[in-house]
Amino acid sequence: MIQAFLQRLARWLDRPYFPWKRLVISFSLAEFALENWLLFRQYRVLNKKAVPKALEKEIDQATFDKSQAYGRAKAQYSFFSGLFNQVKSIAILQYNGYRIIYSLAGTILAKYAPARFTGEISQSLLFVYLFGLIDLVVGLPWSYYHSFVLEERFGFNKMTRKLWITDMLKGQALTIAFGIPIGSAFLAIITKTEQSFFYYLWVFMLFVQIMGMTIYPILIVPMFNKLEPLKPGPLKEGVETLASKLQFPLGELKVIDGSKRSAHSNAYFTGLPWIGKKKIVIYDTLLDKSTDKEVEAVLAHELGHWKRNHTSRLLFIAQAHLFYVFALFSVFIENKSLYADFGFYMEKPVIIGFLLFNEVLSPTDAVLKLLMNVWTRAMEYEADAFAVGLGYATELGAALTKLQIQNLSSMDADWLYSSFHHSHPILTHRLQAMGWKGDKKVSTEKPAVSVDEEKPLKAADREL
């Protein structure tokens, strides 16, 4: 029944000379205009001079001014890098860049590869790699500026140029190592299962995601960072006691050397949502400036996500969205007018169809992002309430404020910009919901004698 409906829709949409290119470019420009209108609204907030009333007792003027300056610098970077990427994207669409690079991949294979490697799958994989490589090279100046100018100006960048280059090379190696088998299977499933491919593709991608959640902390993270067990002491005892109290299946408690790249603070836990032991990972930057009780408070928040099954719900929503995307892709996969308008008159490569389909689908991204942010913000409030219910209201409020100061996160936000871009409520709203009222400035300096201090964390790669 679903397939019959999708096939009728596919026939209706495949209209000769339909202006797909004009439509896609119009969507892209409209999305760019929306993003920059939202950015402009936020930029006006970032020009405010007064500390928000809810934070007057906790945040000093100098910290607030620096946070505002950092926010403006990031907004300016976002505008100019976004403008560059928009021009690049329009040029690729207008001048049939997909056709040019796909043909280049075919020429390279025909000239240098054995005959058994010259089919559509091989050409598609090489196309994806070439396209990504060109994008990487073109974007190098922006990446360099972000790390070694913007982040360094505000004291966050700790990465050397050698490490920056090494990370890129490792990323390329991982792209080849995982991209070839996954990409080959992705294309083969579509080719061999014809109109019902979206069922099989959905199951395959679910398997890939679960495998990724399993091997990422074991194989990938150690390639880029060093992890060591958290040293015995009050913090470790407190975290283990909290995990035991909540029946959280704690397997390992690790510290990661995040400081070798950035001064930003972070933490997360990994593991499959329903089974097996979980690993908690805390950045060393977090351990430098917070108290043990503050870490416990943040962990209580994160374990609230686990206890309320937020991670499982997010995974379920992601799978439902993926099934919807693959099913709708079946409507466009044979659309001759779509391929033809971008220079593919004689062939319909699956990978090109998927990319063009995503361009057509792009207007729904803003709506989905808005809905997901509404939902995830509700989860954050729920996790905060969970930690408060465990008696961590004071410590969690202090920890959140410290993180805000350490990361120079925006202290205020335009409500519409925040709705589209913030998966977490802004600090003032969270503190208000918790009923937390500080009575003194929050310091990120760790006391000389620290028996009772520590830091925040995030669950399943979610930010606190």
Side-chain angles (χ1 to χ4, degrees), residues 97-392:
Y98 290 151
R99 168 79 265 179
I100 294 169
I101 299 175
Y102 190 80
S103 297
L104 174 63
T107 301
I108 292 172
L109 289 175
K111 190 171 183 179
Y112 299 106
R116 64 179 183 275
F117 292 124
T118 56
E120 181 185 327
I121 290 179
S122 297
Q123 187 171 350
S124 296
L125 292 175
L126 183 56
F127 160 78
V128 171
Y129 181 75
L130 288 175
F131 193 84
L133 185 61
I134 293 170
D135 203 45
L136 174 69
V137 172
V138 171
L140 281 179
W142 295 102
S143 174
Y144 183 91
Y145 179 88
H146 183 269
S147 293
F148 296 103
V149 179
L150 194 157
E151 292 289 291
E152 200 157 290
R153 185 196 312 165
F154 290 90
F156 288 121
N157 180 54
K158 305 298 179 185
M159 190 165 31
T160 64
R161 287 161 180 77
K162 179 181 178 181
L163 182 60
W164 179 65
I165 294 171
T166 301
D167 281 354
M168 281 192 292
L169 294 176
K170 287 180 180 178
Q172 290 300 299
L174 288 172
T175 297
I176 295 171
F178 290 99
I180 290 177
I182 293 174
S184 297
F186 181 93
L187 296 170
I189 288 171
I190 295 175
T191 302
K192 294 181 179 179
T193 55
E194 299 180 342
Q195 289 298 320
S196 60
F197 75 85
F198 55 91
Y199 295 110
Y200 301 96
L201 195 58
W202 175 65
V203 172
F204 170 70
M205 291 308 296
L206 175 61
F207 171 76
V208 169
Q209 286 183 315
I210 291 174
M211 287 299 297
M213 292 170 66
T214 303
I215 68 174
Y216 176 78
I218 298 172
L219 297 179
I220 308 302
V221 173
M223 290 180 63
F224 294 88
N225 292 93
K226 182 179 180 181
L227 292 97
E228 296 180 338
L230 180 65
K231 294 178 181 179
L235 172 58
K236 185 176 182 181
E237 292 172 8
V239 172
E240 290 174 343
T241 299
L242 177 63
S244 177
K245 177 181 178 181
L246 298 176
Q247 298 181 320
F248 177 75
L250 179 61
E252 297 179 276
L253 192 53
K254 298 283 191 177
V255 177
I256 189 170
D257 61 342
S259 59
K260 79 180 197 178
R261 288 182 175 80
S262 173
H264 286 293
S265 297
N266 204 353
Y268 60 90
F269 69 74
T270 62
L272 295 177
W274 320 280
I275 58 174
K277 296 287 187 180
K278 309 291 188 289
K279 178 193 293 185
I280 290 176
V281 180
I282 306 174
Y283 277 56
D284 55 357
T285 47
L286 285 178
L287 296 176
D288 287 341
K289 295 182 179 179
S290 293
T291 69
D292 293 350
K293 286 298 181 183
E294 287 166 2
V295 173
E296 289 181 35
V298 178
L299 278 171
H301 166 97
E302 295 302 334
L303 296 185
H305 285 304
W306 171 78
K307 199 74 172 178
R308 302 300 186 210
N309 293 314
H310 291 166
T311 306
S312 301
R313 290 188 219 169
L314 286 171
L315 183 61
F316 174 79
I317 292 297
Q319 294 312 308
H321 177 247
L322 204 58
F323 183 81
Y324 156 77
V325 168
F326 290 154
L328 197 56
F329 175 44
S330 69
V331 173
F332 289 86
I333 192 170
E334 294 291 338
N335 192 309
K336 296 177 183 177
S337 59
L338 176 62
Y339 285 97
D341 217 21
F342 289 90
F344 291 86
Y345 303 103
M346 306 300 296
E347 54 187 340
K348 300 189 295 294
V350 170
I351 191 63
I352 299 298
F354 190 66
L355 291 174
L356 295 177
F357 159 71
N358 276 279
E359 297 283 0
V360 173
L361 199 64
S362 65
T364 66
D365 291 344
V367 178
L368 288 173
K369 185 163 64 173
L370 177 63
L371 295 175
M372 283 301 297
N373 284 344
V374 170
W375 193 40
T376 55
R377 281 197 295 270
M379 289 182 178
E380 293 304 317
Y381 284 127
E382 191 175 348
D384 283 346
F386 181 85
V388 170
L390 293 175
Y392 287 104

Side-chain angles (χ1 to χ4, degrees), residues 27 65 308 317 377 402 419 424:
F27 285 163
D65 290 343
R308 302 300 186 210
I317 292 297
R377 281 197 295 270
K402 280 189 178 182
S419 297
H424 291 50

